[in-house]
């Protein structure tokens, strides 16, 4: 797939947005937290352990073997250790901040294309509320949207939707 070439006006506006974003206080603070995390071997090890074990349990679940209570307990302990570690918790918070910021910017851009103009903050909030109300509550107590579901009863969040509660409307 070829990447469209930006005309001079779009390139200049994109560069200006990127420069503002890079200097934004939230971004600078988040980058600092991420840097501290990667300089902390204990925190990175904890994070790697919980991710590796979570992936192991996910693969087991996808193979049709539900995790045991002991495995769930081990995962919960690993996750608690990550949250107790200041650098790891800071990393997670920083990533969430950056992800939310990028999602909001992408939302503005997408709506601008749809509307043919920049959306107002009220229109953004209204769209956000519609998106939140469109989410379907999972049988496991979590919340998933139709984009997360693979329609085989599983979603990206590891929830079981065999009862048809994935929200995609195909069950």
């Amino acid at each position: 797939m070829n990447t469209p070439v930006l005309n001079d006006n779009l390139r200049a506006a994109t560069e200006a947005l990127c420069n503002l974003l890079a200097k934004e206080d939230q971004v600078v603070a988040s980058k600092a937290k991420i840097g501290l995390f990667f300089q902390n071997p204990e925190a990175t090890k904890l994070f790697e352990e919980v991710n590796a074990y979570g992936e192991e349990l996910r693969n087991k679940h996808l193979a049709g073997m539900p995790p045991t209570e002991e495995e769930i307990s081990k995962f919960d302990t690993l996750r608690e250790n990550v949250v107790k570690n200041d650098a790891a918790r800071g990393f997670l918070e920083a990533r969430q901040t950056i992800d939310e910021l990028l999602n909001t910017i992408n939302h503005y851009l997408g709506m601008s294309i749809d509307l043919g103009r920049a959306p107002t903050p009220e229109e953004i909030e209204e769209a956000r509320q519609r998106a939140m109300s469109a989410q379907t509550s999972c049988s496991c107590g979590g919340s998933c949207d139709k984009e997360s579901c693979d329609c085989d009863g599983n979603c990206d969040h590891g929830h079981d939707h065999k009862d048809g509660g994935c929200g995609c409307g195909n069950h």
Side-chain angles (χ1 to χ4, degrees):
M1 182 166 92
N2 293 334
T3 303
V5 178
L6 297 178
N7 66 37
D8 289 342
N9 289 335
L10 285 175
R11 186 187 45 72
T14 301
E15 287 176 4
L17 175 61
C18 291
N19 285 324
L20 284 171
L21 184 62
K23 294 175 186 170
E24 175 63 35
D25 289 343
Q26 291 176 322
V27 172
V28 172
S30 293
K31 285 179 60 179
K33 287 181 181 181
I34 291 169
L36 289 173
F37 167 76
F38 281 112
Q39 294 174 11
N40 185 319
E42 178 188 353
T44 55
K45 183 178 184 234
L46 287 170
F47 197 76
E48 289 169 2
E49 285 176 359
V50 76
N51 281 335
Y53 196 67
E55 185 65 22
E56 184 180 319
L57 292 181
R58 175 177 160 79
N59 289 336
K60 182 179 177 181
H61 178 74
L62 292 174
M65 299 179 288
T68 65
E69 290 297 322
E70 182 181 306
E71 290 169 327
I72 292 170
S73 178
K74 179 180 175 182
F75 180 76
D76 288 342
T77 299
L78 288 171
R79 189 175 55 201
E80 287 172 21
N81 290 338
V82 167
V83 173
K84 288 178 186 175
N85 182 285
D86 289 339
R89 187 177 57 255
F91 172 77
L92 293 172
E93 291 167 354
R95 288 301 313 244
Q96 182 177 356
T97 297
I98 289 173
D99 287 347
E100 288 173 358
L101 189 57
L102 292 174
N103 286 337
T104 299
I105 291 169
N106 282 330
H107 207 95
Y108 267 87
L109 293 173
M111 286 186 71
S112 296
I113 291 169
D114 290 345
L115 296 171
R117 60 173 172 75
T120 65
E122 294 80 15
E123 289 171 322
I124 290 289
E125 184 57 31
E126 183 181 309
R128 188 183 313 261
Q129 292 297 324
R130 275 195 315 268
M132 288 175 58
S133 68
Q135 289 184 336
T136 302
S137 181
C138 298
S139 57
C140 60
S143 181
C144 302
D145 56 31
K146 61 186 172 190
E147 286 79 26
S148 299
C149 178
D150 68 8
C151 297
D152 290 327
N154 299 304
C155 72
D156 294 342
H157 307 288
H159 303 140
D160 181 347
H161 296 286
K162 290 185 174 77
D163 65 348
C166 75
C168 69
N170 294 330
H171 301 284

